[in-house]
Amino acid sequence: MGFTRKLAIRNYIVEGLLLLASLLILLPVLIMIFGSFKTSAEVLDFSIKLPEKWMFSNYVRVFEEGGLARSFWNSVLITGVSSIINIAASSAASFILARRETKLANSLYMFFFMGLIAPMSTITTIRIVQALGFYGSITSVILIYASLNTAFSVFLYSGFIKTIPKALDEVAFLEGASVLGVFFRIVTPLILPVNATVAIMVFMSVWNDITIPLYFLTDSSTWTMPLSIYNFYGKYSREWNLIFANLVLTSLPVFILYLFGQKYIVSGLTAGAVKG
């Protein structure tokens, strides 16, 4: 048996094992999806069997009784605004850090990079937010999410901007452009792939998070969709079909976004990390 054939057989074996592993990962997802269409008694077997009768009314009941319309709007508001702030601030900061080769710029870059390692101190953050007068508001959660994802965003933006030739900046300066003009007219159109990557990554991390809203949102009317699951489970802990329906509705936006945006994630990560 030749080396090429052995390598092909090994690749088939590895692919088969990975396929089995993916099926194991999909098993809980299928239990959740099928269970969301079952009755409260039928769902208790937690199996992947198809429902005897598809109960679409479960979703209607969850949407009405769980207040998901308000929670959905809160999630969209928090996720969208924090993503915009993060993209604007991180890209602008990365442009300066990538273009200025000074000790201060290098120190600031390492300061941002430490954000990928250092964990968030919840108690300290609560004290700061209380001192600023934002505690319990959506504004506090938006600012916290925007800052928490800054380190990762700066890492990607800096790596990509360093690959943009400085000659473009110099030509623009010779023609009378300002620093802001160079950033918005030259750099911004070139970093669109990274913008898409950062937007998708921030969206997924913010949408799925439950800890920050739990600690910083004191009014249930401002809760996000993942946090509504926590509240919904307390009311309907015995009706797993409704809980599964709530989980499906909460995870559906992230699934759709990732399904259509995965190519931007791969291209953006490659451009911002490998090239940098």
Side-chain angles (χ1 to χ4, degrees):
M1 184 181 297
F3 175 77
T4 305
R5 185 173 179 80
K6 289 182 180 180
L7 183 62
I9 294 175
R10 187 185 66 178
N11 291 337
Y12 288 139
I13 294 175
V14 172
E15 291 176 1
L17 293 176
L18 291 176
L19 181 61
L20 291 175
S22 64
L23 292 177
L24 291 176
I25 296 174
L26 289 175
L27 185 61
V29 178
L30 294 176
I31 292 176
M32 178 184 70
I33 294 174
F34 293 152
S36 66
F37 292 100
K38 296 180 179 180
T39 62
S40 57
E42 186 183 3
V43 74
L44 294 178
D45 59 0
F46 295 101
S47 65
I48 58 174
K49 293 189 302 183
L50 294 177
E52 296 180 1
K53 181 181 179 181
W54 293 82
M55 302 291 294
F56 292 95
S57 59
N58 291 341
Y59 285 87
V60 177
R61 183 179 174 187
V62 167
F63 193 83
E64 293 177 349
E65 299 182 13
L68 292 189
R70 181 179 56 193
S71 299
F72 178 79
W73 164 246
N74 293 335
S75 294
V76 170
L77 178 63
I78 293 173
T79 305
V81 177
S82 60
S83 299
I84 293 173
I85 295 175
N86 180 269
I87 291 173
S90 300
S91 59
S94 301
F95 171 65
I96 301 299
L97 294 177
R99 286 298 191 250
R100 294 187 178 179
E101 298 178 356
T102 62
K103 291 184 178 180
L104 178 60
N106 293 331
S107 299
L108 288 175
Y109 177 77
M110 293 305 300
F111 175 77
F112 280 111
F113 186 75
M114 286 295 294
L116 294 172
I117 306 172
M120 170 186 168
S121 177
T122 305
I123 302 300
T124 305
T125 306
I126 290 177
R127 294 297 185 186
I128 294 174
V129 173
Q130 286 177 338
L132 294 174
F134 291 147
Y135 184 73
S137 65
I138 290 181
T139 303
S140 64
V141 177
I142 290 175
L143 295 177
I144 290 172
Y145 278 133
S147 59
L148 282 178
N149 292 279
T150 298
F152 176 76
S153 301
V154 169
F155 175 73
L156 286 184
Y157 279 121
S158 298
F160 185 79
I161 293 175
K162 288 178 181 178
T163 65
I164 301 175
K166 293 183 179 180
L168 297 177
D169 301 359
E170 296 171 357
V171 172
F173 285 133
L174 290 175
E175 293 181 356
S178 62
V179 176
L180 290 177
V182 172
F183 175 70
F184 285 110
R185 295 181 182 180
I186 306 298
V187 177
T188 300
L190 297 176
I191 61 175
L192 290 180
V194 186
N195 283 342
T197 301
V198 171
I200 295 172
M201 297 296 289
V202 173
F203 182 94
M204 291 193 298
S205 64
V206 173
W207 186 278
N208 291 325
D209 186 62
I210 190 176
T211 55
I212 301 299
L214 182 63
Y215 289 137
F216 292 89
L217 294 179
T218 56
D219 188 356
S220 61
S221 63
T222 60
W223 283 3
T224 58
M225 287 195 70
L227 196 56
S228 70
I229 299 175
Y230 176 80
N231 186 36
F232 196 83
Y233 177 78
K235 295 180 179 179
Y236 303 94
S237 58
R238 296 179 180 273
E239 299 185 69
W240 279 96
N241 55 334
L242 301 181
I243 297 174
F244 284 155
N246 198 334
L247 287 170
V248 171
L249 290 174
T250 302
S251 58
L252 190 59
V254 177
F255 174 76
I256 295 175
L257 180 68
Y258 184 81
L259 184 65
F260 290 99
Q262 56 181 331
K263 62 178 181 180
Y264 297 106
I265 296 178
V266 176
S267 61
L269 290 175
T270 303
V274 177
K275 290 185 180 180

